[in-house]
Amino acid sequence: SKLAAEDRCHLNGLAMKDNKPAYVTAVSKSDSVEGWRHRKRDGGIVMDVVKNEVVLDGLSMPHSPRLHNGKLWLLNSGTGWLGYADLDTGKFEPATFCPGFLRGLSLHGKFAVVGTSMPRNLGFVGLDLDDNLKAKDVEPRCSVLIINIETGDIVHWLTFESHITELYDVAFLPNVRRPMHMGFKTNEIRQLITMDGNLAD
């Protein structure tokens, strides 16, 4: 009903089309202070920003909507499924189960990169993700998964162990040959020096 710093619906994802906002995801349609916390299991929505209307509902903590090759892909995070929105029927079409709480989606060609996180003990209780992990006989993990969206197969993965338990986003880095990541707990970040390749010319 109004813009207020009350985290009413927990709007958390944005899909762009032609450099303009097209779709957003939210954990619920709640219109009261932190009302989304009571709707995590099935209150999630996708909203068409241009039409100002809900085009998909009944989701569980959806994240990371992305338009790719004519489809609106997203993460139904509270269930562990990557899938896409069938905007004609208003249904979520699951494509690949990923073992963990999903956040972060990037697509390139026939591949998707998805981030999985360890579920928080208190924040994610009562989600279908728990049942789905048990049904698949798998433990949740913090990882980056590469998925062939044509087949639904997970073709490669990188699992983080020890300190890293949650990921918030992922991205393809085209034409990067030696990517690296740095944390803030060690001294590498203070000593790293990078130079543009053109400086040597």
Side-chain angles (χ1 to χ4, degrees):
S1 59
K2 70 174 184 176
L3 292 175
E6 297 175 350
D7 194 15
R8 295 178 177 194
C9 65
H10 207 65
L11 184 104
N12 60 22
L14 170 65
M16 302 289 285
K17 183 177 183 180
D18 300 326
N19 295 318
K20 294 180 181 178
Y23 298 95
V24 293
T25 51
V27 175
S28 81
K29 296 184 285 187
S30 172
D31 195 24
S32 63
V33 177
E34 290 196 332
W36 65 271
R37 292 188 181 277
H38 305 289
R39 302 287 181 265
K40 291 183 285 187
R41 188 180 186 108
D42 59 5
I45 63 167
V46 175
M47 188 169 188
D48 185 318
V49 174
V50 177
K51 295 179 181 177
N52 194 30
E53 65 183 35
V54 173
V55 294
L56 189 63
D57 60 13
L59 300 169
S60 181
M61 302 187 75
H63 278 80
S64 311
R66 303 286 185 262
L67 285 166
H68 181 70
N69 292 343
K71 287 184 179 177
L72 178 61
W73 292 86
L74 65 140
L75 306 173
N76 199 13
S77 304
T79 67
W81 284 92
L82 160 71
Y84 62 90
D86 185 328
L87 299 176
D88 293 326
T89 64
K91 293 184 178 178
F92 176 77
E93 297 294 338
T96 302
F97 179 75
C98 306
F101 185 80
L102 311 184
R103 271 189 306 243
L105 170 63
S106 184
L107 295 117
H108 183 74
K110 65 179 183 178
F111 295 104
V113 173
V114 174
T116 70
S117 295
M118 299 293 290
R120 297 177 195 157
N121 291 335
L122 298 177
F124 301 147
V125 172
L127 299 179
D128 288 343
L129 176 59
D130 291 335
D131 295 333
N132 292 340
L133 287 166
K134 289 175 186 173
K136 299 283 186 183
D137 195 24
V138 65
E139 295 295 320
R141 55 181 165 256
C142 182
S143 61
V144 174
L145 307 177
I146 299 176
I147 300 167
N148 182 327
I149 58 175
E150 293 179 355
T151 65
D153 295 336
I154 298 172
V155 296
H156 199 63
W157 58 91
L158 173 66
T159 301
F160 298 97
E161 297 177 352
S162 74
H163 299 300
I164 301 173
T165 59
E166 292 187 66
L167 299 177
Y168 291 88
D169 206 355
V170 295
F172 273 105
L173 300 173
N175 303 316
V176 174
R177 293 184 180 181
R178 295 178 60 190
M180 61 187 297
H181 73 278
M182 304 196 109
F184 296 101
K185 294 190 174 185
T186 59
N187 287 327
E188 288 93 342
I189 198 163
R190 296 180 184 174
Q191 300 168 351
L192 178 69
I193 298 174
T194 61
M195 295 184 183
D196 190 326
N198 295 330
L199 294 177
D201 294 340

